[in-house]
Amino acid sequence: IRLRGSISTAFGCPYQGEVPLDAVADVVRRMRDLGCDEIDIADTIGVSTPRKTQAVMETAARAFRLEGISGHFHDTYGQALANIYASMEVGVAIFHSSVSGLGGCPYAKGATGNVATEDVIYMLNGLGIETGIDLDQVVDAGAFISQHLGRKGVSRAGNALLAKRAG
């Protein structure tokens, strides 16, 4: 059985505010000692910025093997892609996303959904990183679910590609 743990508010917490680096390291070590194969370092309220993201990811990497660390970034303040890029500079290669940026955070007022998959794939394609994911199919899925929900999708890349198709 593969075990994945998640530190939901590793970059900031709606209750305690700033999360100290040593607190993140402590939870990472505890999850490691429990036998986790992968540990998600998550910004579920979307408050991190690239420099903070790098510091947190470097701290996590000192406590756990880098290839088992994943990033989970909500885009509340528009920093999710920058935070993914900052994590990649540290060596993190696993990231969570959601089609059309669906989701949110039930315990943090105003927090938006996870970073849009379309935006992440567009960025990775632009960096020459092969994902094996067909961006056009993800855009179509995002358009479908957004239409079904009666709202415009939040993916900037998805919306731009849809507009380009429409001519």
Side-chain angles (χ1 to χ4, degrees):
I1 295 175
R2 191 167 182 273
L3 181 61
R4 180 175 78 187
S6 184
I7 304 172
S8 293
T9 54
F11 299 90
C13 174
Y15 305 108
Q16 81 177 50
E18 195 69 24
V19 177
L21 292 175
D22 60 336
V24 174
D26 178 55
V27 176
V28 168
R29 284 190 296 271
R30 290 173 189 238
M31 288 183 167
R32 176 199 64 204
D33 294 348
L34 286 170
C36 286
D37 298 297
E38 184 177 310
I39 300 174
D40 306 333
I41 310 298
D43 185 18
T44 48
I45 62 173
V47 295
S48 195
T49 56
R51 186 159 288 147
K52 177 166 183 119
T53 294
Q54 285 185 327
V56 171
M57 291 302 193
E58 287 167 353
T59 297
R62 285 192 290 276
F64 191 70
R65 55 188 177 72
L66 189 58
E67 61 275 5
I69 295 173
S70 60
H72 180 108
F73 297 98
H74 287 234
D75 206 24
T76 308
Y77 290 91
Q79 298 295 295
L81 284 177
N83 290 331
I84 288 172
Y85 191 85
S87 299
M88 290 170 58
E89 288 185 326
V90 173
V92 176
I94 304 167
F95 299 96
H96 305 166
S97 64
S98 65
V99 171
S100 194
L102 296 175
C105 182
Y107 51 82
K109 187 176 182 179
T112 61
N114 203 343
V115 63
T117 303
E118 302 91 322
D119 296 342
V120 175
I121 295 169
Y122 184 86
M123 179 181 76
L124 295 175
N125 287 348
L127 292 170
I129 297 171
E130 178 57 45
T131 64
I133 300 170
D134 185 322
L135 176 57
D136 286 324
Q137 288 185 1
V138 177
V139 169
D140 291 342
F144 170 80
I145 192 63
S146 295
Q147 182 179 12
H148 179 74
L149 295 173
R151 66 176 201 153
K152 183 176 179 177
V154 299
S155 167
R156 288 184 176 105
N159 289 335
L161 291 168
L162 287 170
K164 186 176 179 182
R165 285 183 197 169

